[in-house]
Amino acid sequence: MSRLRVGVLVSGRGSNLQALIQASKDPLYPARVVVVCANRDCAALEIATKAGVTRQVFRLADFADRKRRDLAMARVLLQHGVELIVCAGYDAILERAFIRQFAGRVINIHPSLLPDFAGTMDAVEMALEARVSETGCTVHVVTNDVDQGPILAQSRVQVQPDDTVDTLRERIQAEEHVLLPAVVRRLAGQALPIPV
Ligand code: GRF
């Protein structure tokens, strides 16, 4: 079985990266993480190292501008034969030139039921402040409009009256760790790029 070659972009803790790596330990899982790219030093890189996955950091300070940084990252992804790119807690906006190169092959996981609380790193905080009764997470295709690309899947999470940002985030992330590997599995079984 040839498995879909996945590149993962990270900036933080890496629990979604971990979920994908864990899923791909099953030899029947139809995808595997072949390279991890970060825009800074972060815990996710340690997860890649432990799993024996190639990892590389693309610090903005090392490049003339964002475009050059993203195009350098694109080259590395292509060198690894990546067919699908997963933004898993990647906190920089991808340049248009990068998105054009991988149109329909970049997905993102966001901690809200999009289109609610789009375009923010504080979606969990905002859901609590807005006193919504449910929130959740969304996997969507990345386009030039931040958090507005076609939605691939969502999971709902009920907000409890005594929820704090931490408790709510924890339950949303537990859903993310199921949803993201499920979406990648589905995409591995269909033609890519996804039409956008
Ligand atoms: C996730 O909650 C994801 O929805 C958001 O960033 C967080 C990343 O968490 N985009 P982790 O680094 O995968 O633990």
Side-chain angles (χ1 to χ4, degrees):
M1 175 181 77
S2 96
R3 306 168 88 192
L4 186 74
R5 297 176 69 83
V6 177
V8 182
L9 311 190
V10 293
S11 306
R13 200 161 69 100
S15 65
N16 282 286
L17 168 66
Q18 178 72 62
L20 278 177
I21 288 173
Q22 189 58 38
S24 60
K25 284 188 180 155
D26 176 353
L28 294 178
Y29 187 73
R32 69 188 176 99
V33 179
V34 293
V35 62
V36 171
C37 300
N39 56 342
R40 65 169 61 93
D41 290 311
C42 57
L45 290 167
E46 300 310 316
I47 292 173
T49 303
K50 261 197 197 143
V53 176
T54 306
R55 38 158 277 183
Q56 197 163 326
V57 186
F58 297 84
R59 292 178 196 84
L60 188 54
D62 294 337
F63 296 90
D65 53 31
R66 285 176 188 277
K67 185 172 175 187
R68 267 168 259 221
R69 188 266 301 277
D70 283 9
L71 291 179
M73 191 160 73
R75 271 196 299 281
V76 168
L77 291 160
L78 287 174
Q79 277 160 12
H80 284 84
V82 160
E83 299 160 286
L84 177 71
I85 297 164
V86 177
C87 299
Y90 186 67
D91 66 5
I93 293 171
L94 290 164
E95 286 288 312
R96 297 177 95 86
F98 181 99
I99 293 175
R100 196 178 315 120
Q101 203 163 344
F102 295 105
R105 292 182 183 272
V106 189
I107 65 172
N108 179 48
I109 184 146
H110 185 80
S112 76
L113 294 174
L114 289 173
D116 293 348
F117 312 119
T120 172
M121 299 299 293
D122 300 323
V124 181
E125 287 85 340
M126 287 173 72
L128 268 185
E129 276 164 25
R131 298 179 180 278
V132 292
S133 60
E134 67 170 12
T135 179
C137 50
T138 302
V139 179
H140 66 94
V141 183
V142 173
T143 61
N144 291 319
D145 302 314
V146 176
D147 292 337
Q148 286 177 45
I151 290 173
L152 298 171
Q154 294 184 308
S155 284
R156 294 175 180 278
V157 172
Q158 299 306 307
V159 180
Q160 305 298 338
D162 58 350
D163 260 332
T164 62
V165 171
D166 287 344
T167 59
L168 184 55
R169 180 178 288 123
E170 196 178 322
R171 290 206 312 291
I172 292 172
Q173 287 215 324
E175 289 299 321
E176 292 183 349
H177 303 157
V178 177
L179 189 69
L180 184 60
V183 171
V184 170
R185 176 193 287 278
R186 192 174 92 205
L187 294 177
Q190 74 180 58
L192 290 175
I194 303 158
V196 279

